[in-house]
Amino acid sequence: MKKKTKFLASLLTPMLGLCAIAAIPTLKSVNATSTPTDNDPLIKYDFTYMDEQTEMPILGYMGVPGLAINGSAAPSFLTRANIQAYKDAGFNILSGLYEKVPLHNAEVRKAIEICEELNLTYFVCDNSYRSSYEEEPTSVPSKDDFKSMMADDYYFESPAFGGIAVRDEPNIHCFDSMGNVNAALQEIDNTKIVYTNLYPKGASQGQLGFNNSNDYSSWEQYIQYVEDYITKVKPTMLSYDCYVVTEPNAKVSDANQAVGVVGNYIRSLSMFRNYAKQNNIPFWVTIASHDHIKSWDSIPLKQTQWTVNTSLAYGAQGIQYYTYWNDGAGTGNMDDWADQSGARSQGLVSYNGAPTDNYYRIQKINNQIKLIDHILMQAEHKGIMQFGKQHLELMAEDVLYSYGMLRDVSGDAFVGCFDYKGDDVYYVVNNSLDSGIKTFKADFVDTVNVKLISSAFVTPENPEGVIIKNNVSSVGFNLTGGEGVLVEVLKWENFI
């Protein structure tokens, strides 16, 4: 198979507009009959050239499931309508899970063909390459072994194919095999990735593969786990999960907890941000779409958007959610699938694929990402500034006490600082989970021209959510709990 040449699709540059601050419009309903336009790119991602990519990856783990495993009577849900609904929620990458090669080749073909039609990227779940070592293996297939296996894989020819899903949350004993898969894949097609999502810091020592202990891993062990992954697999991107502020009435200070799945939030962001910068690759964060750890309750919008927006402010260039489809997919019997009132019914869609309230909550957040991703994907992350009384415990190397023209922000603000083609960019996040709207004001050291982007500014006349302010020394805006606004100080040569 010949190594494929790079293909970079152009995306439409958002139009500039002027408007006053307005309420967020009603979210669009799911349209199962819409089709891609002529402006949609043919190939969504070229993972070798992410520094030239302008659309942020957004993935729902446990997306639209195919035929279930383990003898379950659950049907396949791989229909065009269900995958269209997935896209309409704001997702652009679908990863296989139950539909695996070679077990369900027909299902994989169906999924990838629909994704090709709807202009989505698809990660194939191929058992031929999935690493399943729970203990240290006595032998590992070589790169050449995997390269030979890949020679006849039909899905490589689909423009929707983005990579091979090789195991969720692998332990250290998987890395040699995964590294050989990745080396083979890069030689055959260097625009695709080996996709996995790493354990969070809250994982046990046994889960990471160090021993059989159920005790929490230490930071030294977790650092070794991540560094071994980078060294042995040589990934094109880093991805991990860390679920935080998921419980009702959670506080921002909960993110400073030292142990547990819901803790270690900022230190993990800092760690992956810095490893990503050192290796010149992006990092993605997997975020809880509902409280699946304890109560299976919905998470208030302000808490989810706080987690998404602080991750973006910290430089994340990919957002994933657990889970899109109801978490009971692939288990139980037909009665379970028909029951829409069970305790485990809080995915973004129900057992049968009907959108829940969570669907529209995440759709709203994804709409915000799509307004600003063309900037965040091209910007260099510089650090974090905090204002107000409510601070998170940051790592010293990430803290900025000044950056560019910004002098101060009134209120509790968590601010990611970026360089975007010479412009100073600030992603200002309401660093509180309080109910209601708070007024913020950004003050500058001199008069500036600024562009503000937020879904809060979207109207039918201003679909891009852009406000331009000329020759101002400050700008004001309103944000709900956890909401963000992107502020770009325009240099004259970049001013339109």
Side-chain angles (χ1 to χ4, degrees), residues 123-426:
F123 292 152
V124 174
C125 187
D126 191 333
N127 271 353
S128 303
Y129 310 109
R130 287 179 67 81
S131 179
S132 59
Y133 300 118
E134 297 299 337
E135 298 179 358
E136 189 169 0
T138 56
S139 63
V140 175
S142 69
K143 176 193 70 174
D144 289 339
D145 292 334
F146 286 125
K147 189 174 178 181
S148 177
M149 293 164 59
M150 291 177 184
D152 297 320
D153 286 334
Y154 64 87
Y155 49 76
F156 275 81
E157 301 306 319
S158 171
F161 172 60
I164 302 172
V166 292
R167 182 184 173 95
D168 183 46
E169 296 182 329
N171 64 35
I172 58 174
H173 303 307
C174 301
F175 295 162
D176 287 330
S177 177
M178 291 169 60
N180 287 339
V181 174
N182 190 44
L185 180 61
Q186 294 306 304
E187 286 194 9
I188 291 178
D189 187 346
N190 68 343
T191 69
K192 312 305 179 187
I193 67 170
V194 168
Y195 172 72
T196 192
N197 185 67
L198 295 177
Y199 273 116
K201 165 59 181 69
S204 70
Q205 298 175 30
Q207 286 175 310
L208 298 186
F210 290 107
N211 50 46
N212 295 321
S213 173
N214 291 323
D215 293 338
Y216 286 120
S217 57
S218 66
W219 269 107
E220 290 74 18
Q221 289 172 319
Y222 191 65
I223 289 171
Q224 180 184 338
Y225 169 73
V226 177
E227 289 184 346
D228 283 357
Y229 173 72
I230 294 171
T231 300
K232 293 183 177 182
V233 181
K234 296 179 174 58
T236 310
M237 45 75 75
L238 293 172
S239 174
Y240 76 104
D241 53 77
C242 189
Y243 305 139
V244 67
V245 296
T246 58
E247 297 184 9
N249 303 314
K251 299 179 177 59
V252 166
S253 59
D254 294 341
N256 291 324
Q257 295 182 49
V259 296
V261 173
V262 297
N264 306 299
Y265 177 63
I266 291 297
R267 187 167 179 181
S268 294
L269 275 172
S270 174
M271 176 179 173
F272 280 93
R273 175 250 191 194
N274 291 323
Y275 278 131
K277 287 177 76 72
Q278 290 169 19
N279 292 276
N280 195 31
I281 57 178
F283 78 96
W284 304 358
V285 180
T286 303
I287 290 163
S289 63
H290 59 283
D291 187 5
H292 57 279
I293 297 174
K294 292 184 178 180
S295 62
W296 294 87
D297 290 335
S298 296
I299 302 172
L301 171 64
K302 59 188 178 182
Q303 293 174 210
T304 308
Q305 66 185 9
W306 179 90
T307 312
V308 171
N309 286 327
T310 50
S311 295
L312 296 178
Y314 233 102
Q317 291 186 311
I319 295 295
Q320 303 165 106
Y321 300 91
Y322 183 86
T323 169
Y324 174 76
W325 205 271
N326 184 282
D327 193 58
T331 61
N333 53 43
M334 289 304 293
D335 290 338
D336 295 326
W337 288 89
D339 179 13
Q340 302 300 306
S341 61
R344 297 171 63 139
S345 59
Q346 292 299 322
L348 302 194
V349 297
S350 68
Y351 282 131
N352 290 328
T356 67
D357 290 343
N358 288 334
Y359 177 97
Y360 298 102
R361 177 170 55 87
I362 299 301
Q363 185 189 53
K364 180 185 178 206
I365 296 171
N366 289 344
N367 286 345
Q368 167 72 4
I369 295 174
K370 289 178 179 296
L371 292 177
I372 62 175
D373 61 352
H374 64 287
I375 292 178
L376 295 183
M377 292 295 289
Q378 294 288 304
E380 179 186 357
H381 188 257
K382 293 296 187 178
I384 300 293
M385 300 173 72
Q386 290 191 101
F387 300 91
K389 298 179 180 179
Q390 187 157 272
H391 283 200
L392 289 165
E393 298 173 9
L394 300 181
M395 306 301 290
E397 62 267 29
D398 304 332
V399 176
L400 295 176
Y401 296 99
S402 65
Y403 180 71
M405 299 292 287
L406 184 65
R407 181 176 64 188
D408 185 39
V409 178
S410 64
D412 294 328
F414 186 88
V415 182
C417 302
F418 302 83
D419 180 334
Y420 174 62
K421 301 180 179 180
D423 285 352
D424 299 329
V425 168
Y426 309 91

Side-chain angles (χ1 to χ4, degrees), residues 77-99:
F77 290 93
L78 287 172
T79 66
R80 191 185 190 282
N82 282 335
I83 296 178
Q84 179 71 58
Y86 179 85
K87 178 180 179 178
D88 287 345
F91 297 99
N92 48 35
I93 299 179
L94 178 65
S95 183
L97 182 62
Y98 296 119
E99 63 285 2

Side-chain angles (χ1 to χ4, degrees), residues 7-13 38-44 52-55 119:
F7 177 90
L8 292 174
S10 62
L11 298 175
L12 293 177
T13 302
D38 291 338
N39 292 322
D40 284 332
L42 175 62
I43 299 177
K44 186 65 72 174
E52 300 179 45
Q53 180 65 49
T54 57
E55 184 173 3
N119 192 37

